[in-house]
Amino acid sequence: RLFTWNAELSTISSKEYRDESLELYGRDSNYYRVNVLGEFPLGEGDSFIQWDSASAACNNELECNEFDAVVLGVDVAYSDKDDSVIAIRQGHFFHPFQVLPKCRGNPTMNIVHHVIEVAKKFKPRMIYIDAIGYGKGVCDILNSMGYPAYAVVVNETANEKDLYYSVRDELWAAMKTALQYGTIHLSDTPDNRLIGQLTLPTSDFPDGGGVKM
């Protein structure tokens, strides 16, 4: 017999965590089903990336090769309500992502400081930065300091215009393909925060065109 644990019925689970999960992902999301309700994820749904394929990437046998080049991806928060995150990929292996602490004062310089700390440790070949909002300033400062920073403007038109609406959609599709074919390893937190974010977006085909997230 299989036993599950529902955090909504528990007196020892964190109400703050339950409320945050509900607000971020919604009650019908697989993230809420798995981490709060203690239920199995649904295999179907309108998520662009399915829970099963993202979860499998955390359990595959791909290993980190110390000789593979490192690239960083920096998602710069647009507002105080969001988190700035650094993704660290070495070959096919994603190291644990880093959520940057919020600070008072200049958010741009705070993010630059943390990116430099990660860059000193991993010595990346390239640093890709979401250059909308504060990200543009982060990219410019890193470039001026000699770091290999590259601005990614995700709302620009996709390279494959017939298939995707924007660069953002094109990048999400590349991640989906990598997950489906098991060509990358993901490192997630115990509460599946990364999988929750990956499986949150849905997709559409506006005006009969390419994929739009």
Side-chain angles (χ1 to χ4, degrees):
R1 184 179 179 182
L2 182 66
F3 292 91
T4 61
W5 182 71
N6 187 338
E8 287 186 340
L9 305 178
S10 171
T11 58
I12 61 173
S13 68
S14 167
K15 184 178 184 302
E16 181 180 0
Y17 173 73
R18 297 198 305 268
D19 291 345
E20 180 185 12
S21 299
L22 182 62
E23 180 179 358
L24 285 175
Y25 303 104
R27 185 176 179 80
D28 294 331
S29 68
N30 273 325
Y31 183 91
Y32 197 85
R33 288 176 58 85
V34 172
N35 292 284
V36 178
L37 300 180
E39 299 177 1
F40 288 104
L42 297 176
E44 302 296 332
D46 57 357
S47 295
F48 184 66
I49 292 177
Q50 294 296 311
W51 185 280
D52 288 348
S53 63
S55 178
C58 296
N59 299 306
N60 61 31
E61 297 181 355
L62 293 177
E63 297 181 355
C64 179
N65 186 333
E66 61 178 319
F67 299 106
D68 284 338
V70 174
V71 295
L72 304 183
V74 184
D75 185 11
V76 180
Y78 190 75
S79 70
D80 292 340
K81 295 181 180 180
D82 300 319
D83 291 319
S84 293
V85 180
I86 301 176
I88 307 161
R89 179 173 66 81
Q90 189 165 9
H92 299 286
F93 188 93
F94 276 85
H95 294 271
F97 62 92
Q98 298 194 14
V99 178
L100 307 188
K102 294 180 174 63
C103 75
R104 296 179 180 178
N106 190 327
T108 300
M109 290 309 302
N110 176 56
I111 295 169
V112 168
H113 168 74
H114 286 287
V115 173
I116 289 175
E117 289 298 309
V118 174
K120 286 180 177 179
K121 178 179 179 180
F122 287 95
K123 298 177 174 55
R125 180 180 62 187
M126 186 63 70
I127 305 172
Y128 295 101
I129 300 174
D130 182 357
I132 296 177
Y134 290 117
K136 178 64 167 59
V138 171
C139 188
D140 289 343
I141 293 171
L142 288 170
N143 273 322
S144 71
M145 299 176 69
Y147 288 93
Y150 181 84
V152 179
V153 184
V154 296
N155 58 3
E156 287 185 343
T157 302
N159 293 314
E160 297 188 69
K161 301 177 184 179
D162 295 336
L163 297 177
Y164 310 106
Y165 189 81
S166 68
V167 171
R168 178 177 185 266
D169 309 314
E170 205 165 20
L171 293 173
W172 273 96
M175 172 60 81
K176 179 177 182 176
T177 300
L179 292 172
Q180 288 177 329
Y181 284 93
T183 58
I184 58 173
H185 173 86
L186 299 179
S187 302
D188 204 355
T189 56
D191 63 351
N192 302 312
R193 195 73 180 270
L194 177 58
I195 297 177
Q197 290 291 322
L198 286 173
T199 56
L200 188 60
T202 59
S203 60
D204 194 7
F205 298 87
D207 302 322
V211 174
K212 183 177 182 180
M213 304 297 294

